[in-house]
Amino acid sequence: MALTPHSIFTNPMPQFANFRFFSSLQRLKTFPFSIHQMGMASVADTLYTHLHKNDDSVENSLSKVKPKLDSKCVIQVLSKCHPKQPQLGVRFFVWAGFQHGYRHSAYMYRKACNLLGISENPQIICDVVESYEAEGCLVTVNMIREVLKLCKEAQLADVGLWVLRKVVSFDLNADTVMYNVVIRLYCKKGDIEVAEKLVREMSSNGLSPDLITFMAVVEGLCVAGRAEDAYSVLKVMRGHGCLPNLVVLSAVLDGLCRCGSMERALELLEEMEKSGDCSPNVVTYTCVIQNFCKRGQWSEALDILDRMRAFGCHANHVTVFTLIESLCADGHVDEAYGLIDKFVVEHGVSYSDCHSSLVISLIKIKRLEEAEKLFRKMLAGDVKPDTLASSLLLKELCTKERVLDGFYLLEAIDNMGCLSSIDSDIYSILLLGLCQRSHLTEATKLAKIMIKKSVLLRPLYKDSVIVFLAKSGEKDLVHQLTGMCKGL
């Protein structure tokens, strides 16, 4: 029976229930306006309504609502402001960014920039800041930081600097966080001179650059090809009592390597080894090895390999692939073979990683027969090849129209349990090739493997394969394959 206002009061109910109902009704009447309104309309609608009240500033009007914000609500309000009211949208977003119990995620800054078109129309940011000034709005440090974060997301270096200069108009002092945002923007823009000027300005204003400041400058200098200057910044950092961490040191080391300053890079590597605080790791050493390989300096690259082992740092599969691929590409295949035992015995790298890297490298230099021989030797020795090596070899066999060889190789890989990550394109190409050459027995076996492993037949090859299997009387296989495709 539907309840009506009359039935609520006339239907018999226990006395305590009547009392509870009237008590809750009374409490609802005494709730603040914002909560009462949000009971009848969405939070976003209420906030959007308060954005347009003219009796007070936007921020004060919004603060009267006191809602529990979340990202969904914020996006709803921004969507209402798009596309005709982007300034209001920005003011709302800035206000929301420091409300109790809520902080914007990185995704929200991207969403706001996209919805409000800030990247396409940077003037919106300037208009918002000027509206604060024109209205005599009480602007806080948090508000300026939120505005600058929008500039950061939209990559607006010049606008960010303009906002930084406007801080004094609101009787505020720019802090390190504000400077860091603008410095990083100019470093990413490639205008490192402005970034350096801002760092000097910070010091003259009594602010100490921190690790984030120096990290931005170091990265900017390295990108600009000024790795030697980036190296000099390390001394400046220490002078400010800011010890470089592994990220900063690695960035400088990589920059020195890319600029060809290998002697300086080795000096820095030695400093890192002696410091104890920021010891080089496998990524650090591999970076140096890679750059020596690019220059064909194999002796120096192998010296670094020995040096990392002496330091107690072991190579990984990336180090292995870096050296083996580079040696093969430069025609030193025998040397690449000779490294495998060294990697396994001295660095604990698996034979699987080493041989797989060699198979891939041989395929890349067009030595398919040798790569296939090594691959089959791996299978015979119970050494599992990795996914990339398996996929590349199978793809090459299909390209050479050796689909039957490809199938038997795939079957051998399957028997070792190594097929879990091979791309469905490989299966589909191989199955199509078997069908086109009327290898029904092998095609049937491969289709069953695909069904067992839930590997989907790619749409590009589906019709041809289905027609062949149907003509061959494999109706059950056709039904299962098409059923899997429909379930996609």
Side-chain angles (χ1 to χ4, degrees):
M1 176 175 132
L3 288 178
T4 64
H6 176 72
S7 65
I8 289 175
F9 292 104
T10 58
N11 281 347
M13 62 169 60
Q15 186 175 359
F16 75 91
N18 277 312
F19 175 79
R20 187 166 57 190
F21 171 79
F22 284 115
S23 296
S24 62
L25 187 64
Q26 185 62 34
R27 285 198 302 273
L28 181 61
K29 291 180 180 179
T30 59
F31 268 125
F33 168 76
S34 58
I35 303 298
H36 182 67
Q37 285 278 42
M38 283 183 280
M40 296 181 291
S42 72
V43 178
D45 287 337
T46 304
L47 288 168
Y48 184 70
T49 298
H50 278 254
L51 269 175
H52 292 81
K53 287 186 176 292
N54 297 319
D55 55 340
D56 206 343
S57 73
V58 169
E59 290 68 30
N60 286 339
S61 181
L62 289 170
S63 296
K64 292 176 182 177
V65 182
K66 298 180 180 178
K68 184 178 180 181
L69 289 174
D70 58 26
S71 56
K72 183 178 179 181
C73 169
V74 173
I75 290 173
Q76 287 176 341
V77 176
L78 294 180
S79 299
K80 290 175 181 293
C81 294
H82 173 77
K84 296 183 178 180
Q85 300 168 313
Q87 288 183 45
L88 278 179
V90 170
R91 288 188 70 160
F92 165 74
F93 187 83
V94 168
W95 169 85
F98 51 88
Q99 296 307 302
H100 179 70
Y102 175 78
R103 290 295 179 270
H104 295 310
S105 63
Y107 167 77
M108 289 301 296
Y109 290 101
R110 290 194 297 273
K111 190 71 175 178
C113 286
N114 291 334
L115 280 175
L116 302 173
I118 294 173
S119 300
E120 297 77 19
N121 185 13
Q123 185 62 36
I124 296 170
I125 296 293
C126 300
D127 291 341
V128 166
V129 174
E130 288 178 341
S131 70
Y132 289 150
E133 189 174 17
E135 294 175 17
C137 180
L138 178 61
V139 174
T140 65
V141 169
N142 283 332
M143 292 170 70
I144 297 296
R145 287 179 177 177
E146 289 298 325
V147 172
L148 286 172
K149 286 177 184 177
L150 286 172
C151 293
K152 175 185 174 183
E153 181 58 39
Q155 295 295 297
L156 305 176
D158 294 336
V159 176
L161 181 58
W162 180 85
V163 172
L164 189 69
R165 298 292 182 237
K166 291 293 288 186
V167 168
V168 294
S169 301
F170 304 105
D171 294 325
L172 297 173
N173 294 317
D175 59 15
T176 302
V177 175
M178 297 177 195
Y179 270 101
N180 282 347
V181 172
V182 181
I183 288 169
R184 181 170 288 278
L185 281 169
Y186 274 101
C187 287
K188 285 192 174 183
K189 184 182 177 182
D191 198 342
I192 191 66
E193 288 77 15
V194 174
E196 289 176 305
K197 180 180 177 182
L198 288 170
V199 174
R200 292 192 294 270
E201 184 180 301
M202 287 178 69
S203 299
S204 65
N205 289 341
L207 297 173
S208 296
D210 60 13
L211 185 61
I212 295 174
T213 317
F214 288 116
M215 191 178 299
V217 172
V218 162
E219 290 175 354
L221 288 168
C222 290
V223 169
R226 294 171 53 189
E228 290 284 348
D229 291 335
Y231 182 75
S232 301
V233 170
L234 300 178
K235 183 177 180 180
V236 177
M237 289 180 68
R238 295 184 181 102
H240 279 80
C242 186
L243 296 177
N245 62 12
L246 185 59
V247 176
V248 173
L249 293 171
S250 297
V252 175
L253 186 69
D254 182 57
L256 290 168
C257 289
R258 283 191 283 108
C259 291
S261 302
M262 299 308 294
E263 288 187 16
R264 183 73 79 186
L266 293 178
E267 284 180 29
L268 179 55
L269 184 62
E270 186 176 1
E271 288 178 25
M272 294 171 70
E273 290 171 335
K274 290 179 178 179
S275 72
D277 296 323
C278 294
S279 299
N281 57 22
V282 63
V283 177
T284 315
Y285 284 111
T286 301
C287 170
V288 180
I289 288 172
Q290 187 177 46
N291 280 277
F292 274 127
C293 287
K294 285 179 179 178
R295 290 165 175 76
Q297 296 176 270
W298 311 112
S299 176
E300 289 82 353
L302 293 173
D303 283 345
I304 297 298
L305 186 64
D306 292 334
R307 181 169 171 170
M308 68 185 291
R309 178 175 176 266
F311 190 71
C313 182
H314 295 290
N316 61 14
H317 69 283
V318 178
T319 321
V320 171
F321 185 74
T322 297
L323 266 168
I324 288 180
E325 183 191 36
S326 299
L327 284 167
C328 288
D330 211 41
H332 302 287
V333 176
D334 290 340
E335 287 84 348
Y337 275 99
L339 272 179
I340 290 178
D341 284 338
K342 183 182 184 70
F343 277 123
V344 173
V345 175
E346 297 182 6
H347 291 269
V349 183
S350 69
Y351 275 111
S352 173
D353 282 339
C354 293
H355 283 107
S356 294
S357 295
L358 189 49
V359 167
I360 295 167
S361 301
L362 289 170
I363 291 173
K364 286 186 173 183
I365 61 172
K366 309 300 181 184
R367 291 172 68 162
L368 179 60
E369 184 179 344
E370 189 174 350
E372 185 182 353
K373 182 179 178 180
L374 176 60
F375 193 91
R376 293 185 184 280
K377 186 177 179 181
M378 291 173 66
L379 295 178
D382 204 30
V383 176
K384 291 185 176 182
D386 68 18
T387 300
L388 182 57
S390 301
S391 298
L392 281 178
L393 183 55
L394 289 169
K395 189 173 182 179
E396 283 297 312
L397 292 175
C398 291
T399 301
K400 301 295 183 183
E401 298 188 356
R402 294 174 54 195
V403 291
L404 208 54
D405 291 335
F407 167 73
Y408 287 121
L409 190 63
L410 182 140
E411 195 175 38
I413 299 169
D414 183 38
N415 290 335
M416 292 188 72
C418 304
L419 287 182
S420 58
S421 300
I422 292 181
D423 193 271
S424 60
D425 275 338
I426 302 294
Y427 286 96
S428 299
I429 293 170
L430 196 53
L431 182 56
L432 177 63
L434 291 170
C435 291
Q436 288 174 337
R437 288 158 185 79
S438 299
H439 296 303
L440 178 60
T441 302
E442 290 78 12
T444 301
K445 285 183 180 180
L446 181 55
K448 288 178 178 178
I449 291 173
M450 293 175 68
I451 291 167
K452 180 182 176 182
K453 295 182 176 296
S454 299
V455 177
L456 294 169
L457 181 59
R458 305 304 293 173
L460 182 63
Y461 314 103
K462 177 185 170 184
D463 291 342
S464 299
V465 169
I466 294 301
V467 168
F468 173 80
L469 291 175
K471 286 182 178 179
S472 303
E474 296 292 339
K475 294 181 180 179
D476 187 48
L477 275 181
V478 169
H479 177 72
Q480 292 182 66
L481 284 172
T482 53
M484 286 171 56
C485 292
K486 287 178 181 178
L488 180 62

